[in-house]
Amino acid sequence: MFERFTKTARVIVRDGVHLAEQERAALIRPEHLLLAILKHGDTTSAKILAAHGVTTAAVTEAIAQAHRRGGLSQADTAALSEVGIDVDAIVEALESTHGEGALAPARRRRAFGPRWRVPIAPESKKLLERTLREALARKDSTIGDEHLLLALLAEQGVVADILAGFGVTHRTVTAELAQAG
């Protein structure tokens, strides 16, 4: 499948791996791929995100907040509050006992081996498989950065939740790509 990726899409995936390595993440998550897309401002997907006001700083802050809540989306938090569960109070109680970031994804322990051994999270594998389906749906012969963005938006999770807050959804991106031709 990777032979179908454009050079830009391959660079974005590689940069997502590098970002995960730099933060010593235990797994390469979809959030790393989103940040890698934003790193390349001249790509189709980065231009679409920029048009909606999505910045690296805003996404980094939103990811930190989502990780602080243990990955719960805003919708999950709102639903829990409707039944009387205050997620923020629970997070504060956990952090007061176990330290800041108690619900955040695990970090990789210091290792003395090759850097490239950060495993890919199951949701990231699913996402990369989804890029092929997005390309086929658009009748494209290659998988580009725009397919990666569409795949990020098609799957439920932290990234789709964050981008929905900026008004970026699978439907809006599909429409913008169709309009751009």
Side-chain angles (χ1 to χ4, degrees), residues 13-21 23 25-33 115-125 128:
V13 172
R14 182 202 66 205
D15 286 351
V17 171
H18 287 252
L19 289 168
E21 289 171 351
E23 76 172 42
L27 296 169
I28 301 162
R29 300 194 174 280
E31 299 92 293
H32 297 116
L33 298 172
R115 293 182 327 174
W116 48 267
R117 295 204 180 186
V118 178
I120 189 162
E123 60 268 22
S124 296
K125 286 181 184 178
L128 292 173

Side-chain angles (χ1 to χ4, degrees), residues 142-159:
T142 59
I143 299 171
D145 61 284
E146 65 277 13
H147 303 112
L148 190 55
L149 177 60
L150 287 168
L152 283 165
L153 293 166
E155 300 294 330
Q156 294 296 321
V158 172
V159 171

Side-chain angles (χ1 to χ4, degrees), residues 94-155:
L94 282 167
E95 288 183 341
S96 69
T97 304
H98 300 286
E100 188 173 327
L103 294 175
R107 296 264 183 232
R108 204 169 14 118
R109 291 186 174 186
R110 188 168 176 84
F112 297 100
R115 293 182 327 174
W116 48 267
R117 295 204 180 186
V118 178
I120 189 162
E123 60 268 22
S124 296
K125 286 181 184 178
K126 197 171 152 184
L127 177 128
L128 292 173
E129 292 168 2
R130 178 71 187 222
T131 60
L132 176 61
R133 289 195 297 276
E134 292 293 341
L136 292 173
R138 293 179 45 79
K139 296 181 177 45
D140 294 333
S141 59
T142 59
I143 299 171
D145 61 284
E146 65 277 13
H147 303 112
L148 190 55
L149 177 60
L150 287 168
L152 283 165
L153 293 166
E155 300 294 330

Side-chain angles (χ1 to χ4, degrees), residues 67-116:
H67 285 176
R68 184 172 179 262
R69 292 188 310 267
L72 289 176
S73 69
Q74 295 289 350
D76 293 338
T77 304
L80 288 170
S81 70
E82 287 180 14
V83 294
I85 298 172
D86 186 357
V87 173
D88 291 330
I90 293 169
V91 169
E92 287 176 23
L94 282 167
E95 288 183 341
S96 69
T97 304
H98 300 286
E100 188 173 327
L103 294 175
R107 296 264 183 232
R108 204 169 14 118
R109 291 186 174 186
R110 188 168 176 84
F112 297 100
R115 293 182 327 174
W116 48 267

